Amino acid sequence: MTPDELERGVRGAYDTVAADYAAYFADLGAEAPLDLAMLDAFVEAVTGARGEEGPPLVLDAGCGTGRVGRHLLARGCRVAGVDLSPGMAGQAHRGSPGLPVVVGSLAALPYADARFDAVLLWYSTIHTPPAGQPRLLAEASRVLRPGGHLLIGFQAGAGTRDVAPAYRTVGHEIELERHLVAADQVSDWLAAAGLRELARLVRRARDGERDDQASVLAQRPVT
């Protein structure tokens, strides 16, 4: 399958489930306390780097229905969202009036170089096979200003999971897979994109999760 075919499939799947996704994941209740701690560490790093220059501008890349973007807005960030799925972007528009969202690909972000103080990739790279993920991180680095921060969240491990059965239980016949990657591999990709790892979290699966969860915080050096 080509990258374009993959994107079309992911876009179609999320367009189909967007309304139910927005209703089921209305907030950050699915995140564990450790996940929320990494999000808060990200916000603190970004706002600290800005100092007295005003609220940081954060790109929520793969923003979905805007649930994480709303959290960032509440923490005092300015936030812009981009998502591959028009259906998910529409849900974000309806549920997050203060969050401007455009439809676009993480592989070709519709923004100028060094546009943002920070980029969030919160479980938004997981449907791209590992071979294609370095391109997404390179794009995220491109739109990140020197000194800016990036946080990526993902399922840790190796292999592929079919997530379509979960949606079939609520009446949606779709095809959708997610890919597990190791934190060390993600750190290597970030380094290749010109970013330096600052911290990482790998926690064990809890409740109904099938896999360990991970996040990596990185920074684009000033020089």
Side-chain angles (χ1 to χ4, degrees):
M1 183 179 296
T2 69
D4 286 345
E5 290 170 337
L6 175 65
E7 282 199 344
R8 284 196 295 272
V10 173
R11 180 187 299 114
Y14 276 108
D15 282 346
T16 298
V17 306
D20 281 337
Y21 189 102
Y24 189 81
F25 296 106
D27 53 27
L28 297 186
E31 272 69 21
L34 286 173
D35 305 329
L36 297 175
M38 282 298 284
L39 282 169
D40 286 343
F42 170 66
V43 172
E44 290 172 8
V46 173
T47 54
R50 287 285 293 177
E52 301 298 320
E53 298 179 39
L57 179 59
V58 181
L59 176 63
D60 188 357
C63 64
T65 59
R67 66 189 189 95
V68 185
R70 290 192 291 273
H71 177 75
L72 298 177
L73 286 169
R75 292 295 309 275
C77 299
R78 295 178 294 146
V79 184
V82 59
D83 199 87
L84 181 65
S85 161
M88 297 290 271
Q91 293 293 330
H93 279 300
R94 283 186 283 275
S96 313
L99 176 63
V101 179
V102 300
V103 175
S105 169
L106 300 189
L109 291 170
Y111 303 104
D113 294 356
R115 174 75 177 86
F116 295 95
D117 298 302
V119 175
L120 177 67
L121 292 163
W122 197 246
Y123 291 84
S124 54
T125 62
I126 61 174
H127 300 302
T128 301
Q133 292 194 27
R135 178 181 176 184
L136 307 187
L137 297 180
E139 267 295 277
S141 179
R142 179 185 65 77
V143 302
L144 188 63
R145 69 168 179 81
H149 292 79
L150 178 147
L151 180 66
I152 179 172
F154 53 97
Q155 285 91 5
T160 302
R161 298 288 196 193
D162 182 4
V163 298
Y167 289 104
R168 293 191 185 111
T169 63
V170 291
H172 296 301
E173 286 294 332
I174 63 169
E175 294 184 6
L176 189 64
E177 293 181 335
R178 62 175 171 82
H179 304 274
L180 285 69
V181 291
D184 283 343
Q185 180 65 82
V186 171
S187 184
D188 288 345
W189 291 336
L190 290 168
L195 304 176
R196 178 173 61 92
E197 179 183 334
L198 299 179
R200 72 170 70 176
L201 167 71
V202 180
R203 67 165 179 82
R204 297 299 174 231
R206 63 165 203 157
D207 300 333
E209 294 171 344
R210 298 176 65 186
D211 304 295
D212 294 347
Q213 310 292 311
S215 51
V216 179
L217 176 64
Q219 184 177 29
R220 183 176 178 183
V222 175
T223 55

